[in-house]
Amino acid sequence: MKISNLRIKGFKSFGINEGVNIPLNNNLAAFIGLNSAGKTTALEALRRLFGSSNAEREINRQDFHVGKNENPDEIEERELSIEVKINFSDNEQEAVPHFFSNMVVDDQGEEPYIRIRLEATWKKSEILPQGEVEVKTYFIKVAENEAEDDGSKQIFPNHFRSLIQVLYVPAIRRPAEQLKYASGSILYRVLRKIKWGDEFKEDFDKKINDINHAFQGLKEFGTVQKSITDFWIKFHKDERYKDTLLGFGGSDFDSILKKLEISFSPTGTHKSFGIDELGDGYRSLFYLTLVCALLDVEEKLAEETVEAIGVTRPLLTILAIEEPENHIAPQLLGRVVKILTTIANKDNSQVLLSSHTPSIVKRLEPESIIHFRITEDYETEVNQIFLPEKADEAYKYVKEAIHNYPEIYFARLVVIGEGDSEEVIFNRLMEVMKVDFDDNIITFAPLGHRFVNHIWKLLRALNIPYITLLDLDVEREGGGWGRVKYALQQLIEIGYAKERLLMLDGGRILSDADLKEMHTWPLTCPAELGNLNSWVRFLENYKVFYSNPLDLDFLMLTHYPEFYKNAIPKNGGPRVPDKIKEPTAFAEKVKISLQATLKSENATAITYTNEDKELMIWYNYHFLGRGKPATHIEVLSSMSDEQLNDKIPEIFKKIFKEISLILNIES
């Protein structure tokens, strides 16, 4: 049995108008998003529903949602609900008898499931400062697609609580507390599974007494005890406590259990380390060790005999872990995820984790990721990760993009480019424009290639804003009109209205046949070039921008030519014939350079100016013969903010304006 859906309404950051569905289609589900997005709240919701103690299940005033523009003092009454849908596997044997009478189905022949819902109501009280809270938990006896009535609810019996347990691992791990033999600790849960037997306990107690008597028989030991007793009597006259007994670990079995400790050796220092002596990372790992041990013990004891566990053995254990990456080196996170995946794949276990770090995301299957964000109304919104069908060629690309650029899930805005040059240039120009990537949680991702529509679709599904900068590649194969056609097709693919996208002057709609042939449209005169540029400007309305006319490398070269020409090693640089003294050789050099730049022996660069053509000599040297990012880093680091700002490309001014509007950044 597994939870397939969690629905929360009115609990903390989850709004009251509509319940939020959190689909849990995988045995391991990862809740990701920025801080305070509602990830921990979702885990806490499960603890409120299935916590083993009253304290874990307690609902108080602070748990009820308060809207962005609401005054808490004016609220008279508020409700919340937490509901799970639990499905059963085909070979389920142990669990079905317990829940059979409460199962429902959506339709004839479909798989049965159960619904368990916690409902709580808070009412303002003149007597109680915190108000009155009423909490009830029910089996919901109708399918999700059916209307509820007075007979739809049946009280969830208390004895069922032992069948479903939540092991909650907080972000701050204190394993020493979990090694105490106290109700609620992991050690307590492990050791209570053991049938110690009366004979064992009696024998154990006798041995403890023998040890204590042996020590007390020593003269020196007796001296110490007598001294303590003598001084103790001087401080009080209460006959109940006049004698002291110096012993080791207590005098009975339960006393010894309470003092159980784990130490680690060899240490290289000839002494063992205790839990509290471990670093934060190892303490965190050992906390997870205790959890895994508990699950393992439960499983092994159940295999030995069902009677040893009885109804106390959980039929479903939900392992809810906050930030498993805390204090753990990135190199160990892969191992942690593997262990958690193993636990999740057990028949009676399910793992839910929350994280706000890319280090975890890149080690997870994208299908297991659930994205959390806070809306403008300060309410939690939950979305699944969009992926193409596995048979689709784009599936592998998007999956790898997620693993390589997991930062996109934690961004307030994603800038999509085509390569590493864009990131280098963006970072530097953002400094000039006084817009910081980190402060504004902006992520750059070089994913603007043939499957960019899938990246767009992914980000749209998660409601993460994005801006795309593509190369126009005029006079390169597939460039110019081909690039515009590609963008239009991809925008249509992700759901934008074709009629609006393809509307021409006068209201005529560009036909499908014309769009199909757009890449063949000519660029031989100023009017045709002007038409192309009008489409380029139009696409800016859809946050698609172009490095015009070629690519970003060429754009920077044309705006800061002298700085790029100066960025050459000693005795380096291209061999350029003198334009005046060697006109023929110079012309030949330009011709060869433009052909290389435009990647065609037939290239003429008819749409480029003479100055552009001559700069292609330097384009070849810097960007076809050397590393692109390294060249940009060298040039940009040599320039002052004033020098950069003086000739900043117009396209960047537009992009930065758009960023400011999206993120509400004051200029």
Side-chain angles (χ1 to χ4, degrees):
M1 57 187 285
K2 305 279 185 179
I3 298 175
S4 60
N5 192 76
L6 170 64
R7 184 174 179 84
I8 306 173
K9 181 179 180 179
F11 181 57
K12 295 189 176 183
S13 61
F14 289 81
I16 60 175
N17 295 325
E18 296 288 337
V20 177
N21 280 316
I22 305 174
L24 304 174
N25 300 323
N26 292 73
N27 295 336
L28 186 150
F31 300 165
I32 68 168
L34 293 173
N35 289 325
S36 301
K39 306 181 298 297
T40 297
T41 298
L43 298 181
E44 286 182 348
L46 285 170
R47 188 161 62 157
R48 297 291 196 277
L49 186 55
F50 296 122
S52 59
S53 67
N54 290 332
E56 289 182 317
R57 298 194 302 272
E58 184 179 7
I59 300 289
N60 53 53
R61 172 68 184 95
Q62 288 72 32
D63 291 326
F64 293 83
H65 178 78
V66 177
K68 178 181 178 180
N69 298 316
E70 286 188 295
N71 184 345
D73 296 332
E74 296 177 355
I75 300 173
E76 298 291 329
E77 184 175 339
R78 184 94 343 141
E79 296 178 346
L80 69 79
S81 64
I82 302 165
E83 179 181 326
V84 295
K85 174 183 178 182
I86 298 179
N87 291 75
F88 299 83
S89 62
D90 294 335
N91 61 349
E92 204 79 55
Q93 296 181 358
E94 193 176 0
V96 169
H98 293 282
F99 298 104
F100 183 78
S101 62
N102 297 294
M103 289 181 173
V104 297
V105 293
D106 289 330
D107 208 348
Q108 187 175 357
E110 296 190 10
E111 295 294 325
Y113 59 90
I114 59 171
R115 298 171 64 188
I116 303 173
R117 182 192 298 160
L118 179 153
E119 295 182 354
T121 302
W122 172 87
K123 292 182 179 180
K124 199 170 188 177
S125 171
E126 297 296 331
I127 301 173
L128 301 173
Q130 293 298 314
E132 298 180 20
V133 177
E134 183 181 8
V135 183
K136 291 184 178 180
T137 304
Y138 303 96
F139 282 115
I140 306 301
K141 305 279 287 187
V142 296
E144 291 180 311
N145 57 3
E146 296 180 24
E148 297 180 23
D149 54 31
D150 294 339
S152 301
K153 300 177 184 178
Q154 179 179 311
I155 291 293
F156 183 76
N158 281 331
H159 68 270
F160 273 66
R161 296 195 182 280
S162 62
L163 302 179
I164 303 173
Q165 72 171 343
V166 173
L167 292 180
Y168 191 86
V169 181
I172 300 174
R173 324 256 205 258
R174 298 187 177 95
E177 294 180 5
Q178 300 302 320
L179 281 172
K180 295 177 181 176
Y181 189 65
S183 180
S185 74
I186 294 176
L187 182 64
Y188 177 82
R189 297 189 188 190
V190 171
L191 295 181
R192 74 176 179 175
K193 306 293 182 184
I194 301 174
K195 296 292 183 180
W196 299 104
D198 293 338
E199 185 177 347
F200 173 85
K201 287 184 177 181
E202 290 176 4
D203 186 52
F204 191 93
D205 290 345
K206 183 178 180 302
K207 290 178 179 177
I208 290 295
N209 285 327
D210 289 345
I211 292 172
N212 281 326
H213 284 310
F215 272 101
Q216 290 165 13
L218 293 173
K219 180 181 178 182
E220 292 83 355
F221 195 86
T223 301
V224 173
Q225 180 169 295
K226 184 177 183 305
S227 180
I228 293 173
T229 300
D230 291 346
F231 277 99
W232 175 238
I233 293 173
K234 292 179 180 180
F235 281 104
H236 79 97
K237 302 298 180 183
D238 195 324
E239 288 294 317
R240 293 175 297 172
Y241 312 115
K242 71 174 184 178
D243 294 327
T244 60
L245 181 65
L246 189 62
F248 290 85
S251 60
D252 57 30
F253 181 72
D254 286 334
S255 298
I256 294 298
L257 279 184
K258 292 178 180 179
K259 298 181 184 297
L260 274 177
E261 292 183 355
I262 288 181
S263 58
F264 305 89
S265 63
T267 65
T269 62
H270 306 292
K271 76 179 258 315
S272 297
F273 276 133
I275 294 291
D276 290 332
E277 295 178 272
L278 296 177
D280 288 339
Y282 277 121
R283 282 205 295 267
S284 188
L285 287 172
F286 193 75
Y287 197 116
L288 298 179
T289 299
L290 289 173
V291 172
C292 294
L294 171 60
L295 297 174
D296 186 61
V297 168
E298 288 180 342
E299 186 175 32
K300 288 178 177 177
L301 290 178
E303 291 173 355
E304 293 175 7
T305 170
V306 175
E307 287 75 22
I309 303 296
V311 296
T312 63
R313 185 211 177 199
L315 299 174
L316 173 62
T317 295
I318 304 155
L319 180 54
I321 305 179
E322 283 190 76
E323 303 169 22
E325 68 276 7
N326 274 6
H327 308 299
I328 297 176
Q331 297 87 340
L332 295 176
L333 287 180
R335 194 177 304 172
V336 171
V337 171
K338 285 180 182 178
I339 294 171
L340 295 179
T341 302
T342 301
I343 294 172
N345 289 330
K346 294 179 181 291
D347 290 337
N348 68 329
S349 300
Q350 193 167 0
V351 176
L352 307 177
L353 62 89
S354 69
S355 178
H356 51 73
T357 175
S359 299
I360 280 289
V361 176
K362 68 193 311 177
R363 291 169 170 84
L364 298 170
E365 291 298 315
E367 291 88 347
S368 68
I369 294 173
I370 311 292
H371 186 265
F372 284 64
R373 66 181 290 271
I374 287 290
T375 68
E376 293 180 353
D377 294 326
Y378 301 155
E379 295 181 1
T380 293
E381 178 183 276
V382 176
N383 294 292
Q384 286 185 281
I385 298 297
F386 168 83
L387 286 171
E389 296 292 329
K390 287 189 176 181
D392 195 323
E393 184 185 2
Y395 173 81
K396 185 177 181 181
Y397 173 83
V398 177
K399 186 174 179 178
E400 288 302 312
I402 291 169
H403 282 155
N404 290 317
Y405 300 98
E407 295 86 357
I408 62 177
Y409 299 117
F410 307 97
R412 291 179 63 207
L413 182 142
V414 176
V415 178
I416 302 171
E418 291 200 27
D420 296 333
S421 293
E422 281 88 339
E423 184 171 13
V424 171
I425 294 166
F426 258 96
N427 273 305
R428 181 69 178 96
L429 294 183
M430 291 284 263
E431 292 176 6
V432 175
M433 301 297 291
K434 311 300 182 186
V435 180
D436 188 84
F437 265 57
D438 294 330
D439 284 353
N440 294 286
I441 319 178
I442 301 170
T443 293
F444 178 87
L447 301 173
H449 304 290
R450 55 185 291 227
F451 297 119
V452 70
N453 66 302
H454 294 285
I455 304 300
W456 289 347
K457 195 177 292 185
L458 170 69
L459 294 173
R460 285 189 79 195
L462 303 179
N463 284 321
I464 298 175
Y466 58 90
I467 289 171
T468 307
L469 178 63
L470 303 174
D471 297 336
L472 192 57
D473 287 337
V474 172
E475 295 193 49
R476 281 178 174 169
E477 184 178 0
W481 284 117
R483 294 289 184 264
V484 171
K485 169 189 171 180
Y486 171 78
L488 292 170
Q489 289 175 326
Q490 304 314 309
L491 289 169
I492 293 169
E493 179 72 20
I494 66 173
Y496 282 102
K498 183 190 296 186
E499 295 77 13
R500 182 176 175 87
L501 266 173
L502 304 182
M503 182 176 290
L504 306 174
D505 292 340
R508 185 173 71 86
I509 307 298
L510 188 71
S511 68
D512 290 345
D514 287 338
L515 178 61
K516 186 177 180 180
E517 296 298 319
M518 179 180 274
H519 66 285
T520 66
W521 292 4
L523 278 176
T524 57
C525 65
E528 293 167 350
L529 186 62
N531 188 25
L532 172 67
N533 287 328
S534 68
W535 278 97
V536 168
R537 289 190 295 273
F538 170 73
L539 286 169
E540 292 172 3
N541 297 315
Y542 294 86
K543 299 178 180 56
V544 179
F545 298 86
Y546 285 96
S547 294
N548 192 356
L550 190 62
D551 56 21
L552 186 56
D553 304 313
F554 191 74
L555 185 68
M556 295 298 289
L557 178 61
T558 58
H559 281 73
Y560 309 102
E562 296 308 313
F563 291 96
Y564 281 89
K565 288 180 180 180
N566 291 331
I568 58 174
K570 188 176 181 181
N571 300 319
R575 199 282 181 186
V576 184
D578 188 280
K579 186 176 180 180
I580 305 299
K581 296 179 179 179
E582 304 174 84
T584 303
F586 181 80
E588 183 64 21
K589 182 71 173 181
V590 170
K591 179 183 178 182
I592 294 171
S593 297
L594 70 86
Q595 290 174 345
T597 299
L598 301 177
K599 302 178 182 180
S600 172
E601 292 181 358
N602 299 317
T604 61
I606 190 173
T607 62
Y608 293 83
T609 66
N610 288 331
E611 289 79 7
D612 289 342
K613 295 175 185 177
E614 292 175 10
L615 284 173
M616 290 180 184
I617 297 173
W618 290 91
Y619 181 93
N620 276 263
Y621 172 74
H622 280 307
F623 306 120
L624 299 183
R626 304 173 69 207
K628 292 183 180 182
T631 298
H632 291 302
I633 291 172
E634 181 182 352
V635 173
L636 295 174
S637 62
S638 71
M639 300 175 66
S640 67
D641 290 358
E642 292 75 17
Q643 289 170 326
L644 278 165
N645 201 30
D646 186 50
K647 294 184 178 179
I648 192 167
E650 187 65 29
I651 195 66
F652 281 104
K653 294 180 181 179
K654 292 181 178 180
I655 290 173
F656 294 145
K657 182 179 179 180
E658 192 66 41
I659 290 174
S660 297
L661 288 172
I662 293 172
L663 301 181
N664 195 27
I665 300 172
E666 294 183 6
S667 56

